[in-house]
Amino acid sequence: MADALLVTECGKELEETQCVFLRDYVAQADKLTVTSTGTLRLSGHPKDCFQSATESVIGILSVGAAPITDTVVYDSDFYDIPLGELPHPFVYNENEQSDQLETEIGTALPSIIQESYSSAPLTEEPEEEASTPKLIDGSSAQGSGVLGPQTQDGLPTCLLCTCLGTTVYCDDRELDAVPPLPKETTYFYSRYNRIRKINRNDFANLNNLKRIDLTANFISEIHEDAFRRLPQLEELVLRDNRIRQLPELPSTLTFIDVSKNRLGRKGIRNEAFKDLHELQHLYITDNNLDRIPLPLPESLQALHLQNNNIQEMHEDTFCKMKDFNYVRRALEDIRLDGNPINLSKTPYAYMCLPRLPVGNLI
C-alpha cells in the first residue's frame, strides 16, 4: 500500500522526536519505515508542535513503497493558511496524553467488530408531541383564559390592558368602567380613564387583590360593598375623582388616599376608620372637610388633611386627656396646613405626640 505522509520536525530541541500527520486510511498499514532507524516514534511530542512557528517540512515519504525522489519546494506563504484549510487536514486530539512512550500505527479493526457496529441499527424513539396550552374563553366556566376575561368591547382584558404577572395596568385606556379582571390579580391600576361608577361586583371574587389605584377618573358613585368583601386589600387610592360618599372599607387596609374629591361634611360616616387596626397612612386633602374624622386607629402614622375647611380641634382629638402617661409614638406626620384653624389655641391636644402638627399657629 502506498500513500504519502507529511513529516514535520517540531523545534531543534526535539530533533530525535518527529511529528507525523497521517490521513485516515493510513492506519491500515502495518509499519511506517521512515529512515534506516526503523519504526517511527511519536513519543514525547508536545501538543503545541502543531502551532509552533519553527515547523519545517522534511519531506514526503511513502508507505510500503519506494520513497518519492521528486524534490518538493514549499513556499513560505503556505504556512499562513489555517490548519483547517490545508489540502490534507490532520486531526489532533487535545485529550491524548503526551507522555506515551511509543505509538504504533496498527491494523484495521477486525471484521467481527465491524459487523457488530453494522448489525445493530439505531432505533429512533418516537418523540412526544409537546402539549400546546389552549386559550380558554373568558365567558366559559373553566376560567378567564390566557388573556383574561372578555371586556364589554369583546376584547380580553390582558389584550386591552397590560398584564405583567399578577399586576394589571389599564392606565389611560379611555375606559368608562372597571374591566373584568383575572382571578389571580394582585395589583390593579386604572388611572386617567373615564370610569364614573364602581359597581358591587366589579371586584367580586378577587381574593388576592392587594392594591387598587383609580386615580384621576370621573368616579362619583361607589357601591357600599364594592371593597368590603376583599379579604386582602391593603392599599386603596381614589384621589382626584368626584366621590361624595366613602363606602364601607375592609379592616385590612394600611393605606388610603381619597384626596381631591368632594366628600364635604357628610362624605365620611362616623367612626369610619375606627376598626381599621392596620391603617398607617390616611390622606384626605382637598375635600372641603369641616372636621377631623374620629376616632383614628392607634396604628396610624401619617394623617394628611391639607386644604380643607377644618376650623377647630378638641384636646382629646389625638391624646387622652384622662391619661397623662399616654404617648402616641406612631403618629409622627400630621398635616393641617391650608385649614382655617389656629393650632396654638389647643396646646394640650399635642402633648402625647412625638411631633407637632404642621399648620397655622396664628
Side-chain angles (χ1 to χ4, degrees), residues 10-71:
C10 304
K12 295 182 179 181
E13 69 279 10
L14 300 174
E15 292 181 354
E16 296 181 357
T17 301
Q18 298 175 340
C19 299
V20 179
F21 309 103
L22 309 179
R23 285 156 59 178
D24 296 341
Y25 52 83
V26 177
Q28 299 179 6
D30 293 334
K31 184 185 294 185
L32 291 178
T33 303
V34 178
T35 61
S36 59
T37 59
T39 302
L40 178 64
R41 298 174 181 269
L42 301 179
S43 59
H45 63 281
K47 71 176 183 179
D48 61 351
C49 71
F50 296 98
Q51 303 174 356
S52 175
T54 60
E55 290 181 352
S56 60
V57 176
I58 297 178
I60 294 181
L61 303 179
S62 178
V63 179
I68 300 175
T69 57
D70 295 340
T71 303

Side-chain angles (χ1 to χ4, degrees), residues 165 232 269:
Q232 296 193 47
R269 69 188 65 192

Side-chain angles (χ1 to χ4, degrees), residues 22-154:
L22 309 179
R23 285 156 59 178
D24 296 341
Y25 52 83
V26 177
Q28 299 179 6
D30 293 334
K31 184 185 294 185
L32 291 178
T33 303
V34 178
T35 61
S36 59
T37 59
T39 302
L40 178 64
R41 298 174 181 269
L42 301 179
S43 59
H45 63 281
K47 71 176 183 179
D48 61 351
C49 71
F50 296 98
Q51 303 174 356
S52 175
T54 60
E55 290 181 352
S56 60
V57 176
I58 297 178
I60 294 181
L61 303 179
S62 178
V63 179
I68 300 175
T69 57
D70 295 340
T71 303
V72 181
V73 179
Y74 292 94
D75 194 345
S76 60
D77 293 338
F78 177 80
Y79 296 100
D80 294 334
I81 302 176
L83 296 179
E85 298 179 6
L86 290 176
H88 303 291
F90 44 80
V91 179
Y92 176 69
N93 184 7
E94 291 184 356
N95 296 325
E96 184 179 2
Q97 296 181 356
S98 61
D99 57 351
Q100 294 177 340
L101 297 178
E102 183 174 351
T103 302
E104 279 194 8
I105 307 301
T107 58
L109 291 174
S111 58
I112 298 177
I113 300 178
Q114 294 178 354
E115 290 177 1
S116 64
Y117 286 124
S118 60
S119 61
L122 296 176
T123 58
E124 296 183 358
E125 297 182 358
E127 296 182 358
E128 297 182 359
E129 295 183 359
S131 59
T132 303
K134 298 180 179 179
L135 295 178
I136 301 176
D137 187 359
S139 60
S140 67
Q142 299 182 25
S144 58
V146 175
L147 296 178
Q150 298 288 334
T151 63
Q152 294 178 354
D153 298 330

Side-chain angles (χ1 to χ4, degrees), residues 144-149 157-158 163 168 179-186 205-206:
S144 58
V146 175
L147 296 178
T157 299
C158 293
C163 298
V168 179
L181 301 174
K183 292 183 178 180
E184 299 79 11
T185 302
T186 304
N205 301 320
L206 298 178

Side-chain angles (χ1 to χ4, degrees), residues 197-341:
K197 182 180 180 180
I198 305 299
N199 298 309
R200 178 178 183 179
N201 295 323
D202 283 346
F203 301 104
N205 301 320
L206 298 178
N207 296 328
N208 297 323
L209 193 57
K210 294 183 178 181
R211 181 182 177 92
I212 297 175
D213 192 341
L214 296 170
T215 298
N217 280 273
F218 301 148
I219 301 172
S220 60
E221 183 180 353
I222 303 177
H223 192 276
E224 184 68 17
D225 296 330
F227 308 121
R228 184 178 61 85
R229 296 176 296 173
L230 298 175
Q232 296 193 47
L233 187 62
E234 297 177 355
E235 301 179 15
L236 180 62
V237 182
L238 300 171
R239 64 178 297 124
D240 199 5
N241 279 282
R242 303 173 181 178
I243 302 171
R244 297 182 181 273
Q245 180 71 47
L246 279 183
E248 188 172 350
L249 302 172
S251 60
T252 55
L253 284 173
T254 63
F255 184 99
I256 298 175
D257 188 354
V258 290
S259 299
K260 296 186 177 181
N261 278 280
R262 302 175 181 179
L263 296 176
R265 298 179 59 185
K266 300 180 179 180
I268 302 177
R269 69 188 65 192
N270 293 331
E271 300 184 347
F273 308 109
K274 177 182 178 181
D275 296 327
L276 305 187
H277 302 297
E278 305 294 330
L279 186 62
Q280 299 177 5
H281 301 270
L282 179 60
Y283 302 149
I284 321 178
T285 69
D286 301 276
N287 267 279
N288 199 30
L289 299 181
D290 61 351
R291 60 184 175 84
I292 298 176
L294 298 175
L296 297 171
E298 294 287 335
S299 59
L300 195 64
Q301 299 177 7
L303 175 65
H304 288 191
L305 299 172
Q306 305 100 296
N307 304 323
N308 282 291
N309 193 32
I310 300 173
Q311 301 180 16
E312 62 179 0
M313 182 188 306
H314 300 287
E315 292 184 347
D316 58 351
T317 297
F318 302 113
C319 302
K320 298 178 181 180
M321 295 307 299
K322 296 181 180 181
D323 185 0
F324 293 101
N325 295 322
Y326 173 73
V327 178
R328 195 164 193 167
R329 299 184 183 278
L331 189 54
E332 295 185 351
D333 183 13
I334 300 177
R335 297 286 302 275
L336 289 168
D337 44 314
N339 285 275
I341 184 175

